[in-house]
Amino acid sequence: GINGRFYNSGPSTASESKTQDNKVRQGTGIALVIANIAKLNVKIYDTNPKQIEKGLDLINNLIEKEVSKQRITREHAESTKSRIGTISIIEELDDTNFIIEAVSENINLKCKIFENLDNILKKDTILATNTSSISITKIAAATKRPEKVIGMHFMNPVPVMKLVEIIPGLATSEETLNITKNLTAKMGKTYTQSQDVPGFIANRLLIPYINEAIIALEQGIGTKEDIDTTMKLGTNVPMGPLALADFIGLDTCLAIMKVLHNEIGDTKYRPAVLLQKYVDAGWKGKKCGRGFYQY
Ligand code: CAA
């Protein structure tokens, strides 16, 4: 079967979740923002029912935190909760208007899911994919509705980060693009639009920067603390590049770097040897308890 996770909304929105680790799942954050900020109904789907339960627990905790910090009222919290539903079989997505898929970054998996959804969904449903580096055009080509397929790249952690990159594929219609922009704005996010190229805008710039920081560490230009503090305080960002690499996941950074290297072909995108080594060692960052730092 499909090893995927979907968050789907009844009358109007939908999504799915991504990372394999059991910490931050992007789909959970997306569902929360849809219900809490956009005030739309949302349904969550995952092939693993345990993940749905975990997601709901996390959502409840985050909502209760908002109440305890007096940022939302009890009434608002209860209506947010009431807008979030779950489904147990993918066929229950048949009447949804908008799907956001957020499974792991595996092109074959994504294409298989989109092909399957294309057969299940009513014909005007929009299918968005939350990908950080896979071609939207390729995913769209797995369906018979490429004009209704679009990329929505959320940043981690989704409830906190203000940006969504929107990526139309080669065949995406203007209407699909506008509906997606409106939904993103309703979610309280700022969107930017990127061409469907490897890494889009965010990762085309961010991941080579992280890779360069790893090369700087490898070459002994500075200690990991000095590299991170230089960039954190020197450019006013919340985390230095090595801490950020741990936060994103070193396996994810490596995978994106490989996409840039393979698809653009320029040697300037060659992954740092040390990055590959850490991933080979299983030191994949925060989610594993060890990356450049220990957690
Ligand atoms: N879900 C929901 N809320 C979360 C969260 C999560 N996973 N993680 C942190 N938060 C919330 C906290 O609860 C806290 O909220 P309150 O103010 O209500 O208490 C707030 O975020 C700040 O968190 P902390 O006080 O614990 O810690 P912090 O101030 O150090 O912030 C951080 C943590 C938000 C992660 C901050 O360090 C940060 O912004 N880091 C950079 C993140 C970044 O660059 N993300 C993009 C990564 S790249 C990407 O996602 C794209 C890709 O394809 C690779």
Side-chain angles (χ1 to χ4, degrees):
I2 296 169
N3 174 23
R5 301 167 199 103
F6 297 83
Y7 293 80
N8 146 62
S9 92
S12 59
T13 25
S15 99
E16 180 185 323
S17 121
K18 190 176 181 179
T19 47
Q20 294 298 342
D21 63 297
N22 51 20
K23 298 212 170 118
V24 185
R25 287 188 176 269
Q26 278 201 313
T28 306
I30 296 169
L32 172 62
V33 175
I34 289 171
N36 193 43
I37 311 289
K39 299 194 174 68
L40 294 166
N41 293 330
V42 60
K43 284 184 200 153
I44 301 174
Y45 172 74
D46 193 308
T47 48
N48 180 355
K50 279 204 188 110
Q51 291 303 340
I52 298 183
E53 251 167 63
K54 260 191 201 164
L56 286 180
D57 282 350
L58 178 65
I59 284 172
N60 271 329
N61 293 342
L62 290 171
I63 293 173
E64 289 307 323
K65 194 192 77 182
E66 293 301 289
V67 175
S68 69
K69 294 204 163 184
Q70 299 189 331
R71 288 195 285 230
I72 61 173
T73 63
R74 167 60 48 199
E75 199 188 346
H76 181 117
E78 293 311 320
S79 47
T80 294
K81 286 182 193 174
S82 74
R83 282 190 279 267
I84 300 172
T86 62
I87 55 168
S88 51
I89 54 165
I90 198 170
E91 282 71 20
E92 288 179 69
L93 294 167
D94 60 355
D95 68 339
T96 195
N97 297 324
F98 202 105
I99 304 259
I100 302 173
E101 162 276 317
V103 295
S104 50
E105 289 284 89
N106 174 328
I107 182 147
N108 294 329
L109 175 64
K110 289 200 186 244
C111 287
K112 211 165 133 192
I113 289 169
F114 272 62
E115 195 185 340
N116 191 20
L117 283 170
D118 190 37
N119 292 326
I120 293 167
L121 301 168
K122 56 182 181 161
K123 69 176 192 323
D124 56 349
T125 303
I126 292 177
L127 273 164
T129 175
N130 175 34
T131 178
S132 53
S133 60
I134 294 175
S135 161
I136 308 305
T137 303
K138 230 180 248 178
I139 298 172
T143 72
K144 290 187 237 32
R145 62 178 89 196
E147 72 287 354
K148 299 211 179 299
V149 176
I150 193 158
M152 277 177 102
H153 180 211
F154 287 85
M155 314 298 284
N156 258 328
V158 176
V160 179
M161 302 296 284
K162 292 192 168 64
L163 182 80
V164 177
E165 274 186 295
I166 297 181
I167 309 103
L170 195 58
T172 308
S173 71
E174 203 61 32
E175 190 190 13
T176 300
L177 177 61
N178 287 333
I179 292 171
T180 307
K181 284 179 176 173
N182 285 339
L183 174 63
T184 308
K186 252 189 154 171
M187 292 171 76
K189 305 292 186 195
T190 297
Y191 56 79
T192 53
Q193 188 176 326
S194 168
Q195 272 194 40
D196 187 20
V197 294
F200 314 133
I201 298 173
N203 286 330
R204 174 75 172 264
L205 275 66
L206 178 66
I207 305 298
Y209 155 69
I210 286 174
N211 195 55
E212 197 62 32
I214 299 168
I215 293 171
L217 180 68
E218 207 171 37
Q219 295 183 347
I221 296 173
T223 62
K224 58 180 186 289
E225 291 81 7
D226 280 340
I227 291 169
D228 272 356
T229 303
T230 300
M231 298 317 290
K232 187 176 165 180
L233 302 184
T235 68
N236 235 357
V237 285
M239 289 175 171
L242 300 170
L244 184 56
D246 279 356
F247 177 75
I248 293 169
L250 301 190
D251 51 340
T252 303
C253 292
L254 178 62
I256 297 171
M257 211 56 211
K258 283 184 175 167
V259 168
L260 296 178
H261 191 216
N262 293 340
E263 295 192 18
I264 303 172
D266 192 320
T267 53
K268 75 178 177 182
Y269 298 115
R270 194 163 46 208
V273 173
L274 192 62
L275 173 59
Q276 179 72 60
K277 227 185 250 181
Y278 269 65
V279 172
D280 289 345
W283 300 348
K284 296 179 189 166
K286 205 172 172 190
K287 65 187 172 192
C288 300
R290 177 159 193 182
F292 292 107
Y293 297 90
Q294 300 219 28
Y295 300 89

